[in-house]
Amino acid sequence: MPAPRPSESAEAARAAALQAEFNEKKWVWVPDERDGYLAGWIHKEEGDFGQIVLKASGEIRTVPLYALDKMNPPKFDRVDDIADLTFLNKASVVNNLWLRFGSGNIYTYSGLFLIAINPYQSLPLYSDSIIQQYRNKRRDENPPHIFAVAERAWVNMGEERENQSILITGESGAGKTESTKKVIQYLAAIATDVHPSHSRSPTIGSSSSIAALPRSDSFRRGHTVSPSISSGSGSQLTARGRLGLLERQILQANPILEAFGNAQTQRNNNSSRFGKFVRITFAPDGSIAGANIDWYLLEKSRVVVRSEAERSFHVFYQLMVGGGALKETLLLGGGVEDYEYLNKSRREVDGVDDKEEWAALKGALDTVGFTAAEQLDLFRIVAAILHIGNIEITSARTDDAGMPDPSQAERVCHLLGIPVAEFIRAVLRPRTLAGREWVSQARTQRQALEELGALCKTLYEKSFGAIVDRINVALDRPSSKSTFIGVLDIAGFEIFEINAYEQLLINYTNEKLQQFFNHHMFVLEQEEYTREGIKWEYVNFGLDLQPTIDLIEASGNVIGILSCLDEECIMPRATDLTFTNKLHGLWAAGQENGHPGRTKYQPTRFDQGFIIKHYAAEVEYHTTGWLEKNKDPLNDNLTRVLAASSDRYVASLFAEYADAPTTPSGPGGPTNGFAAGKKRGIKKGAFRTVGQRHKEQLSSLMSQLQSTQPHFIRCIVPNSNKKPGRFDVPLVLEQLQCNGVLEGVRISRLGYPNRLPFVEFRQRYEVLTPGIIPRGYMDGREACRRMVKALELDEAIFKIGTSKIFFKAGVLAELEERRDLHLFEVFSRLQAVARMWTARRQMRKILHRAVAIRTIQRNARVYGELREWPWWQLYTKVRPLLAATRNDEELRKKEAELLLIKERAERDKQEREALETLKMSLEAEKRRVEEELEAERGLALDKDALLDRSKKREGELEDEVASLQSDLDTLDSQLDRMLKIQKESEEKHDNLRQMFDQAAEHLVRLEAEQKDWTTREADLNAELAAAQQEADVTRADLEELRKVGEELKNLALQREEDLARAKERTDVAVKELETKLETELRNG
């Protein structure tokens, strides 16, 4: 329902007032440490500094002019697309987001991006009616919404028969998981509309008012079994009432992945601790034909250790609270506080009922198709990890590890189906290969605990992978598959106080994704330039990030950080410090080499680490523990024991180690290379580091994304307190930088981000070029060409296409300012004419009033004179007697009138009788109508209530009219001030003209001096060329010395390695001789 007209007028008046206030001053954004940016206007400019008056406090600050950002006119407030802003700067971007967020709009476009801000409260934005609102609509027909992105992907897939992808990134707590579920919800709903023949069984309903919320309002809570609900008239089924089994399985895969892959963190109650790429495949008719899930970078270390304020994965707590009889089967007794892996950190989350979440998880497993035996296998792994955490390892006097109480180990072995003795021996005294013989090596307490922790992490990771594989089997359908829409949910760019190996991999991933976006963004941009016939030199903005990517991932002749780390992992006696020193030696400042990413690297001053210049910011990485994390070591003895498990599920998890029953195989073992040469079966467990696996996964992901048409969603955390309505500007600015939004803005500014169709440009700015365009029809392109010529615009800041005119950033703002000034002059003249007309009308009224007063005065004087005149007195007395002579004639007229009246009375009598008859019939009709009226009277009561509301609304509108009248008075006073300012501006213009003349004279003197300097420059260039030749000779000598030094260094390293190997062989021989000596002594 449209807003009442007075409200529209009030809004227009407020907009006009804001525009008038904006035109009075030169508004800018002032940087502020606490609030990010503050609005203010320039009071005075002195050289490179300006005195700025802050709008909020009136404080005057002296700020360098280069630090200020221009402010957009008020007409650009709350625009749906940030790319439409004429001044594309950080302050304007974050201010537009803040204004929209304050008015309840959590979604905003930024060119190809959709920015989604977590509201931390329930909003009615995801109901079936909203889905229908965005169905079959263009992007500009509705406000920004995540459904609009999903709809555009759906339409493009159908029209172009091309795979689509939706990339969702952001910090923890920004709402990535919820956004992913909303996209899947929308695709499932519209695919069901396209293919209505799905089974109409009771279905899982979706929440109608859930945004990116904390876990207490998670998506799965809205999924309850309920009958279909009508969304319109009649008994029409809603989209969720028509979901088939496949659609319900796709939706219910989310609760399973959340239980096993999500956890509570300091920033988010339901944080995804892994990345996933969900591909939903569609049949040629548009129905869903299946789905597939790929996962990345599971934070498996959370199983063993985490911050005190955080929890492990949800499934541990759900099993302990809601497991019931299943806990007895899994040998779990007591509560969360009885297990070492759970009781050292937070145990509960505010507003989350783990028992309800357990029921939702069980329901989801049933829906997806997990059998009771398969569910038991999953929870057996979870219980085994808890029991492993309770295994007590002690240290003897000889520092050897011991296990005084094997009861916990017995529980673990019972659940995993492995022998107790072999498990204990693999933990305390594993066998290692010494030469050609196997020897038992005692473990210390620390080594044993670390290996048990590594076992727990590997168990959970492999079980999680098996869960995803099982879900993929359930979601696969043997039907015709045409195209797919992929949804990528992955962690965004991260900068912490201490950035470890995981942050490098995440930031490396985001660097690749940002490169993909940069390339895609300007490919589309430059394709539009080509369609519009604009001359443009192609620029590959994806290459801007290539040096950083090469620095991290390069291999072969040009080595990168990950390859260097892999080399150190196989080197004997390598440590984190040697790895760091090797990096410094390769790329430290001042070292000259041909590596493309050398400029992006710099060492840290004090800590053990290095700094990389990413697209978002410089990040300092600490390399402590990197070698162990990259090798991901695992006890080979434990893997062989688990591979031989009597439990089919456990054995399948470690099937890759089953080929080597007599030799160890494991990632990162110290004898891995030797074992690989001895046994053919060991190749399956060959050394593959975490970095290598991640590079392979990322390469596969990028290949898939490059074969799709991408869409981008960037999720934002508005504040770190999870409070609704709060907007922390510095925090949002940091995320915009990390998410690549500001990088996209930077790229946009290099092109022509502002564009208008010819018709719109002519309608809006023709007022600035009166008389340029003749009456009648004229081609839009020619009209725009004449207008820009009349506006005296530089050809470098605009381009005219075939249907649009393109502008550099900031040009439209200048045109808007010129238009506002012109309209101000026009309306000023109009107001002057209107005031002249009203003044003249008032003057005419005063003149007419004076003439009337004089006429009245003249008549009064005449009456005063006649009142005392005798003849006038006689006339007034005789005048009544003059009527007696006319009485006879009037009597005859009356008699004639009486006859006519009698005839009329006779006719009236007859008519009255006829009317009496009619009256009787009408009374009968009246009684019938009264009965009908009584029936309608009940309905009239509603109309009375409506009338009362209308009267109340009328009163409100009258109040609003009064407020508008006061606003009008304010505008009149502002107009007077503007006239005064205009006069001052004219005086200032005259002063500037005089200064310009003086500057022109000074310029002539400078040109003469320039000629002298040109002559001196030629002489210096000649001297410089000679010095350059000498430097080239010196550089060549230096290069030869460097090569000799490298050869000597390599020779020294090789000799050190030979010595190390000789020492190892000697140690092994000594151990063999000692063993033989002990044997001979025992035999002797």
mmCIF file of all heavy atoms in Angstrom, residues 477-513:
data_model
loop_
_atom_site.group_PDB
_atom_site.id
_atom_site.type_symbol
_atom_site.label_atom_id
_atom_site.label_comp_id
_atom_site.label_asym_id
_atom_site.label_seq_id
_atom_site.Cartn_x
_atom_site.Cartn_y
_atom_site.Cartn_z
ATOM 1 N N ARG A 477 21.439 -39.071 -7.218
ATOM 2 C CA ARG A 477 20.292 -39.731 -7.836
ATOM 3 C C ARG A 477 20.684 -40.194 -9.232
ATOM 4 O O ARG A 477 21.347 -39.460 -9.980
ATOM 5 C CB ARG A 477 19.090 -38.789 -7.945
ATOM 6 C CG ARG A 477 18.457 -38.426 -6.607
ATOM 7 C CD ARG A 477 17.784 -39.646 -5.960
ATOM 8 N NE ARG A 477 16.984 -39.263 -4.812
ATOM 9 C CZ ARG A 477 17.460 -39.131 -3.576
ATOM 10 N NH1 ARG A 477 18.746 -39.339 -3.362
ATOM 11 N NH2 ARG A 477 16.678 -38.802 -2.573
ATOM 12 N N PRO A 478 20.263 -41.398 -9.609
ATOM 13 C CA PRO A 478 20.594 -41.895 -10.962
ATOM 14 C C PRO A 478 19.677 -41.293 -12.015
ATOM 15 O O PRO A 478 18.985 -41.994 -12.742
ATOM 16 C CB PRO A 478 20.378 -43.405 -10.813
ATOM 17 C CG PRO A 478 19.311 -43.523 -9.779
ATOM 18 C CD PRO A 478 19.551 -42.402 -8.800
ATOM 19 N N SER A 479 19.657 -39.970 -12.072
ATOM 20 C CA SER A 479 18.790 -39.289 -13.030
ATOM 21 C C SER A 479 19.643 -38.402 -13.930
ATOM 22 O O SER A 479 20.832 -38.212 -13.701
ATOM 23 C CB SER A 479 17.741 -38.444 -12.297
ATOM 24 O OG SER A 479 18.357 -37.502 -11.456
ATOM 25 N N SER A 480 18.983 -37.843 -14.937
ATOM 26 C CA SER A 480 19.694 -36.991 -15.885
ATOM 27 C C SER A 480 20.087 -35.683 -15.212
ATOM 28 O O SER A 480 19.248 -34.990 -14.640
ATOM 29 C CB SER A 480 18.806 -36.710 -17.097
ATOM 30 O OG SER A 480 19.422 -35.793 -17.965
ATOM 31 N N LYS A 481 21.370 -35.366 -15.254
ATOM 32 C CA LYS A 481 21.871 -34.133 -14.639
ATOM 33 C C LYS A 481 22.360 -33.204 -15.744
ATOM 34 O O LYS A 481 23.150 -33.599 -16.597
ATOM 35 C CB LYS A 481 23.000 -34.438 -13.651
ATOM 36 C CG LYS A 481 22.559 -35.304 -12.466
ATOM 37 C CD LYS A 481 23.726 -35.616 -11.559
ATOM 38 C CE LYS A 481 23.287 -36.415 -10.340
ATOM 39 N NZ LYS A 481 22.713 -37.712 -10.693
ATOM 40 N N SER A 482 21.890 -31.973 -15.691
ATOM 41 C CA SER A 482 22.234 -31.014 -16.736
ATOM 42 C C SER A 482 23.276 -30.004 -16.250
ATOM 43 O O SER A 482 24.380 -29.946 -16.739
ATOM 44 C CB SER A 482 20.977 -30.290 -17.210
ATOM 45 O OG SER A 482 21.289 -29.288 -18.141
ATOM 46 N N THR A 483 22.914 -29.218 -15.263
ATOM 47 C CA THR A 483 23.786 -28.160 -14.742
ATOM 48 C C THR A 483 23.700 -28.160 -13.222
ATOM 49 O O THR A 483 22.848 -28.831 -12.630
ATOM 50 C CB THR A 483 23.360 -26.782 -15.278
ATOM 51 O OG1 THR A 483 21.949 -26.614 -15.070
ATOM 52 C CG2 THR A 483 23.658 -26.658 -16.762
ATOM 53 N N PHE A 484 24.568 -27.374 -12.586
ATOM 54 C CA PHE A 484 24.526 -27.291 -11.125
ATOM 55 C C PHE A 484 24.728 -25.850 -10.680
ATOM 56 O O PHE A 484 25.265 -25.009 -11.411
ATOM 57 C CB PHE A 484 25.578 -28.202 -10.479
ATOM 58 C CG PHE A 484 26.999 -27.751 -10.646
ATOM 59 C CD1 PHE A 484 27.551 -26.766 -9.833
ATOM 60 C CD2 PHE A 484 27.809 -28.310 -11.631
ATOM 61 C CE1 PHE A 484 28.860 -26.356 -9.969
ATOM 62 C CE2 PHE A 484 29.128 -27.905 -11.783
ATOM 63 C CZ PHE A 484 29.649 -26.929 -10.953
ATOM 64 N N ILE A 485 24.285 -25.588 -9.447
ATOM 65 C CA ILE A 485 24.566 -24.337 -8.740
ATOM 66 C C ILE A 485 25.362 -24.715 -7.499
ATOM 67 O O ILE A 485 24.899 -25.481 -6.658
ATOM 68 C CB ILE A 485 23.275 -23.590 -8.351
ATOM 69 C CG1 ILE A 485 22.504 -23.166 -9.602
ATOM 70 C CG2 ILE A 485 23.601 -22.372 -7.497
ATOM 71 C CD1 ILE A 485 21.192 -22.449 -9.295
ATOM 72 N N GLY A 486 26.569 -24.198 -7.389
ATOM 73 C CA GLY A 486 27.425 -24.495 -6.252
ATOM 74 C C GLY A 486 27.424 -23.351 -5.254
ATOM 75 O O GLY A 486 27.430 -22.178 -5.634
ATOM 76 N N VAL A 487 27.393 -23.684 -3.972
ATOM 77 C CA VAL A 487 27.415 -22.686 -2.895
ATOM 78 C C VAL A 487 28.668 -22.937 -2.069
ATOM 79 O O VAL A 487 28.814 -23.991 -1.448
ATOM 80 C CB VAL A 487 26.162 -22.772 -2.012
ATOM 81 C CG1 VAL A 487 26.176 -21.658 -0.977
ATOM 82 C CG2 VAL A 487 24.902 -22.695 -2.856
ATOM 83 N N LEU A 488 29.586 -21.968 -2.072
ATOM 84 C CA LEU A 488 30.843 -22.078 -1.330
ATOM 85 C C LEU A 488 30.722 -21.311 -0.018
ATOM 86 O O LEU A 488 30.476 -20.108 -0.010
ATOM 87 C CB LEU A 488 32.002 -21.528 -2.160
ATOM 88 C CG LEU A 488 33.374 -21.527 -1.472
ATOM 89 C CD1 LEU A 488 33.825 -22.961 -1.201
ATOM 90 C CD2 LEU A 488 34.404 -20.787 -2.293
ATOM 91 N N ASP A 489 30.879 -22.038 1.089
ATOM 92 C CA ASP A 489 30.870 -21.437 2.428
ATOM 93 C C ASP A 489 32.247 -21.672 3.024
ATOM 94 O O ASP A 489 32.593 -22.793 3.401
ATOM 95 C CB ASP A 489 29.773 -22.103 3.276
ATOM 96 C CG ASP A 489 29.843 -21.686 4.743
ATOM 97 O OD1 ASP A 489 30.588 -20.739 5.064
ATOM 98 O OD2 ASP A 489 29.156 -22.305 5.576
ATOM 99 N N ILE A 490 33.066 -20.622 3.083
ATOM 100 C CA ILE A 490 34.449 -20.784 3.545
ATOM 101 C C ILE A 490 34.860 -19.558 4.347
ATOM 102 O O ILE A 490 34.316 -18.463 4.155
ATOM 103 C CB ILE A 490 35.405 -21.005 2.345
ATOM 104 C CG1 ILE A 490 36.706 -21.646 2.784
ATOM 105 C CG2 ILE A 490 35.636 -19.713 1.588
ATOM 106 C CD1 ILE A 490 37.510 -22.212 1.649
ATOM 107 N N ALA A 491 35.785 -19.766 5.266
ATOM 108 C CA ALA A 491 36.225 -18.671 6.139
ATOM 109 C C ALA A 491 36.874 -17.569 5.321
ATOM 110 O O ALA A 491 37.566 -17.822 4.330
ATOM 111 C CB ALA A 491 37.202 -19.199 7.185
ATOM 112 N N GLY A 492 36.646 -16.328 5.747
ATOM 113 C CA GLY A 492 37.228 -15.180 5.061
ATOM 114 C C GLY A 492 38.644 -14.908 5.536
ATOM 115 O O GLY A 492 39.228 -15.637 6.338
ATOM 116 N N PHE A 493 39.203 -13.822 5.021
ATOM 117 C CA PHE A 493 40.563 -13.414 5.371
ATOM 118 C C PHE A 493 40.661 -13.192 6.877
ATOM 119 O O PHE A 493 39.781 -12.572 7.480
ATOM 120 C CB PHE A 493 40.909 -12.135 4.611
ATOM 121 C CG PHE A 493 42.372 -11.842 4.552
ATOM 122 C CD1 PHE A 493 43.131 -12.277 3.492
ATOM 123 C CD2 PHE A 493 43.003 -11.135 5.564
ATOM 124 C CE1 PHE A 493 44.486 -11.998 3.432
ATOM 125 C CE2 PHE A 493 44.336 -10.860 5.516
ATOM 126 C CZ PHE A 493 45.086 -11.287 4.439
ATOM 127 N N GLU A 494 41.714 -13.706 7.505
ATOM 128 C CA GLU A 494 41.865 -13.640 8.961
ATOM 129 C C GLU A 494 43.155 -12.940 9.349
ATOM 130 O O GLU A 494 44.211 -13.198 8.766
ATOM 131 C CB GLU A 494 41.855 -15.050 9.574
ATOM 132 C CG GLU A 494 40.527 -15.763 9.432
ATOM 133 C CD GLU A 494 40.539 -17.129 10.106
ATOM 134 O OE1 GLU A 494 41.628 -17.617 10.470
ATOM 135 O OE2 GLU A 494 39.453 -17.698 10.254
ATOM 136 N N ILE A 495 43.050 -12.051 10.332
ATOM 137 C CA ILE A 495 44.225 -11.404 10.927
ATOM 138 C C ILE A 495 44.030 -11.445 12.436
ATOM 139 O O ILE A 495 43.141 -10.786 12.976
ATOM 140 C CB ILE A 495 44.392 -9.944 10.460
ATOM 141 C CG1 ILE A 495 44.436 -9.851 8.926
ATOM 142 C CG2 ILE A 495 45.650 -9.341 11.059
ATOM 143 C CD1 ILE A 495 44.511 -8.435 8.415
ATOM 144 N N PHE A 496 44.847 -12.258 13.127
ATOM 145 C CA PHE A 496 44.779 -12.363 14.576
ATOM 146 C C PHE A 496 46.060 -11.785 15.182
ATOM 147 O O PHE A 496 46.987 -11.407 14.474
ATOM 148 C CB PHE A 496 44.612 -13.829 15.010
ATOM 149 C CG PHE A 496 43.334 -14.456 14.508
ATOM 150 C CD1 PHE A 496 43.312 -15.768 14.037
ATOM 151 C CD2 PHE A 496 42.145 -13.741 14.496
ATOM 152 C CE1 PHE A 496 42.149 -16.356 13.587
ATOM 153 C CE2 PHE A 496 40.971 -14.307 14.044
ATOM 154 C CZ PHE A 496 40.975 -15.610 13.584
ATOM 155 N N GLU A 497 46.076 -11.750 16.519
ATOM 156 C CA GLU A 497 47.292 -11.296 17.191
ATOM 157 C C GLU A 497 48.447 -12.246 16.903
ATOM 158 O O GLU A 497 49.586 -11.823 16.693
ATOM 159 C CB GLU A 497 47.034 -11.188 18.691
ATOM 160 C CG GLU A 497 46.078 -10.062 19.074
ATOM 161 C CD GLU A 497 45.945 -9.935 20.572
ATOM 162 O OE1 GLU A 497 46.653 -10.680 21.297
ATOM 163 O OE2 GLU A 497 45.141 -9.111 21.026
ATOM 164 N N ILE A 498 48.158 -13.539 16.920
ATOM 165 C CA ILE A 498 49.157 -14.557 16.580
ATOM 166 C C ILE A 498 48.595 -15.365 15.414
ATOM 167 O O ILE A 498 47.604 -16.082 15.563
ATOM 168 C CB ILE A 498 49.466 -15.470 17.779
ATOM 169 C CG1 ILE A 498 50.033 -14.641 18.940
ATOM 170 C CG2 ILE A 498 50.431 -16.573 17.370
ATOM 171 C CD1 ILE A 498 50.324 -15.460 20.189
ATOM 172 N N ASN A 499 49.199 -15.223 14.251
ATOM 173 C CA ASN A 499 48.731 -15.903 13.045
ATOM 174 C C ASN A 499 49.623 -17.115 12.789
ATOM 175 O O ASN A 499 50.836 -16.982 12.604
ATOM 176 C CB ASN A 499 48.781 -14.945 11.842
ATOM 177 C CG ASN A 499 47.897 -13.739 12.046
ATOM 178 O OD1 ASN A 499 46.684 -13.803 11.933
ATOM 179 N ND2 ASN A 499 48.514 -12.615 12.393
ATOM 180 N N ALA A 500 48.987 -18.299 12.775
ATOM 181 C CA ALA A 500 49.720 -19.548 12.656
ATOM 182 C C ALA A 500 49.574 -20.122 11.243
ATOM 183 O O ALA A 500 49.135 -19.435 10.309
ATOM 184 C CB ALA A 500 49.226 -20.537 13.714
ATOM 185 N N TYR A 501 49.915 -21.393 11.117
ATOM 186 C CA TYR A 501 49.906 -22.060 9.810
ATOM 187 C C TYR A 501 48.498 -22.103 9.218
ATOM 188 O O TYR A 501 48.322 -21.935 8.010
ATOM 189 C CB TYR A 501 50.455 -23.472 10.004
ATOM 190 C CG TYR A 501 50.627 -24.255 8.725
ATOM 191 C CD1 TYR A 501 51.281 -23.713 7.627
ATOM 192 C CD2 TYR A 501 50.145 -25.548 8.614
ATOM 193 C CE1 TYR A 501 51.448 -24.431 6.459
ATOM 194 C CE2 TYR A 501 50.303 -26.281 7.454
ATOM 195 C CZ TYR A 501 50.954 -25.713 6.376
ATOM 196 O OH TYR A 501 51.108 -26.430 5.225
ATOM 197 N N GLU A 502 47.469 -22.305 10.080
ATOM 198 C CA GLU A 502 46.091 -22.361 9.579
ATOM 199 C C GLU A 502 45.688 -21.036 8.938
ATOM 200 O O GLU A 502 44.997 -21.017 7.911
ATOM 201 C CB GLU A 502 45.128 -22.708 10.717
ATOM 202 C CG GLU A 502 45.302 -24.097 11.307
ATOM 203 C CD GLU A 502 46.435 -24.180 12.314
ATOM 204 O OE1 GLU A 502 47.038 -23.120 12.619
ATOM 205 O OE2 GLU A 502 46.724 -25.284 12.785
ATOM 206 N N GLN A 503 46.109 -19.918 9.544
ATOM 207 C CA GLN A 503 45.767 -18.609 8.964
ATOM 208 C C GLN A 503 46.431 -18.410 7.603
ATOM 209 O O GLN A 503 45.846 -17.799 6.703
ATOM 210 C CB GLN A 503 46.176 -17.486 9.915
ATOM 211 C CG GLN A 503 45.157 -17.195 11.005
ATOM 212 C CD GLN A 503 45.068 -18.328 11.998
ATOM 213 O OE1 GLN A 503 46.082 -18.768 12.537
ATOM 214 N NE2 GLN A 503 43.860 -18.823 12.249
ATOM 215 N N LEU A 504 47.655 -18.925 7.432
ATOM 216 C CA LEU A 504 48.309 -18.804 6.131
ATOM 217 C C LEU A 504 47.506 -19.539 5.056
ATOM 218 O O LEU A 504 47.298 -19.014 3.956
ATOM 219 C CB LEU A 504 49.730 -19.355 6.197
ATOM 220 C CG LEU A 504 50.474 -19.366 4.858
ATOM 221 C CD1 LEU A 504 50.783 -17.942 4.406
ATOM 222 C CD2 LEU A 504 51.760 -20.179 4.932
ATOM 223 N N LEU A 505 47.035 -20.749 5.365
ATOM 224 C CA LEU A 505 46.267 -21.510 4.377
ATOM 225 C C LEU A 505 44.935 -20.825 4.066
ATOM 226 O O LEU A 505 44.514 -20.754 2.906
ATOM 227 C CB LEU A 505 46.022 -22.930 4.898
ATOM 228 C CG LEU A 505 47.267 -23.807 5.097
ATOM 229 C CD1 LEU A 505 46.873 -25.183 5.582
ATOM 230 C CD2 LEU A 505 48.080 -23.901 3.812
ATOM 231 N N ILE A 506 44.273 -20.306 5.096
ATOM 232 C CA ILE A 506 42.994 -19.617 4.872
ATOM 233 C C ILE A 506 43.203 -18.351 4.053
ATOM 234 O O ILE A 506 42.455 -18.064 3.100
ATOM 235 C CB ILE A 506 42.324 -19.303 6.224
ATOM 236 C CG1 ILE A 506 41.849 -20.601 6.890
ATOM 237 C CG2 ILE A 506 41.152 -18.344 6.038
ATOM 238 C CD1 ILE A 506 41.318 -20.411 8.287
ATOM 239 N N ASN A 507 44.229 -17.567 4.398
ATOM 240 C CA ASN A 507 44.481 -16.331 3.664
ATOM 241 C C ASN A 507 44.961 -16.604 2.253
ATOM 242 O O ASN A 507 44.669 -15.837 1.320
ATOM 243 C CB ASN A 507 45.505 -15.476 4.421
ATOM 244 C CG ASN A 507 44.967 -14.977 5.750
ATOM 245 O OD1 ASN A 507 43.761 -15.014 5.979
ATOM 246 N ND2 ASN A 507 45.843 -14.525 6.625
ATOM 247 N N TYR A 508 45.721 -17.669 2.069
ATOM 248 C CA TYR A 508 46.124 -18.098 0.730
ATOM 249 C C TYR A 508 44.897 -18.456 -0.112
ATOM 250 O O TYR A 508 44.791 -18.074 -1.284
ATOM 251 C CB TYR A 508 47.079 -19.280 0.879
ATOM 252 C CG TYR A 508 47.272 -20.133 -0.351
ATOM 253 C CD1 TYR A 508 47.615 -19.582 -1.579
ATOM 254 C CD2 TYR A 508 47.135 -21.512 -0.269
ATOM 255 C CE1 TYR A 508 47.804 -20.387 -2.691
ATOM 256 C CE2 TYR A 508 47.321 -22.317 -1.373
ATOM 257 C CZ TYR A 508 47.645 -21.752 -2.588
ATOM 258 O OH TYR A 508 47.830 -22.539 -3.691
ATOM 259 N N THR A 509 43.944 -19.155 0.499
ATOM 260 C CA THR A 509 42.690 -19.482 -0.201
ATOM 261 C C THR A 509 41.946 -18.218 -0.598
ATOM 262 O O THR A 509 41.454 -18.092 -1.733
ATOM 263 C CB THR A 509 41.810 -20.355 0.707
ATOM 264 O OG1 THR A 509 42.510 -21.538 1.056
ATOM 265 C CG2 THR A 509 40.514 -20.726 -0.005
ATOM 266 N N ASN A 510 41.836 -17.263 0.328
ATOM 267 C CA ASN A 510 41.113 -16.031 0.023
ATOM 268 C C ASN A 510 41.857 -15.180 -1.001
ATOM 269 O O ASN A 510 41.239 -14.431 -1.752
ATOM 270 C CB ASN A 510 40.877 -15.230 1.314
ATOM 271 C CG ASN A 510 39.712 -15.759 2.112
ATOM 272 O OD1 ASN A 510 38.569 -15.373 1.895
ATOM 273 N ND2 ASN A 510 40.002 -16.671 3.029
ATOM 274 N N GLU A 511 43.178 -15.287 -1.019
ATOM 275 C CA GLU A 511 43.945 -14.568 -2.039
ATOM 276 C C GLU A 511 43.577 -15.091 -3.440
ATOM 277 O O GLU A 511 43.395 -14.323 -4.389
ATOM 278 C CB GLU A 511 45.438 -14.742 -1.776
ATOM 279 C CG GLU A 511 46.322 -13.711 -2.452
ATOM 280 C CD GLU A 511 46.457 -12.423 -1.658
ATOM 281 O OE1 GLU A 511 46.338 -12.456 -0.432
ATOM 282 O OE2 GLU A 511 46.675 -11.379 -2.288
ATOM 283 N N LYS A 512 43.446 -16.410 -3.549
ATOM 284 C CA LYS A 512 43.062 -17.012 -4.825
ATOM 285 C C LYS A 512 41.624 -16.632 -5.198
ATOM 286 O O LYS A 512 41.329 -16.315 -6.357
ATOM 287 C CB LYS A 512 43.189 -18.533 -4.739
ATOM 288 C CG LYS A 512 44.609 -19.037 -4.535
ATOM 289 C CD LYS A 512 45.386 -19.095 -5.841
ATOM 290 C CE LYS A 512 44.960 -20.251 -6.686
ATOM 291 N NZ LYS A 512 45.805 -20.401 -7.897
ATOM 292 N N LEU A 513 40.733 -16.652 -4.203
ATOM 293 C CA LEU A 513 39.336 -16.290 -4.479
ATOM 294 C C LEU A 513 39.222 -14.822 -4.866
ATOM 295 O O LEU A 513 38.430 -14.460 -5.743
ATOM 296 C CB LEU A 513 38.467 -16.584 -3.247
ATOM 297 C CG LEU A 513 38.291 -18.058 -2.880
ATOM 298 C CD1 LEU A 513 37.511 -18.199 -1.578
ATOM 299 C CD2 LEU A 513 37.587 -18.813 -4.000
#
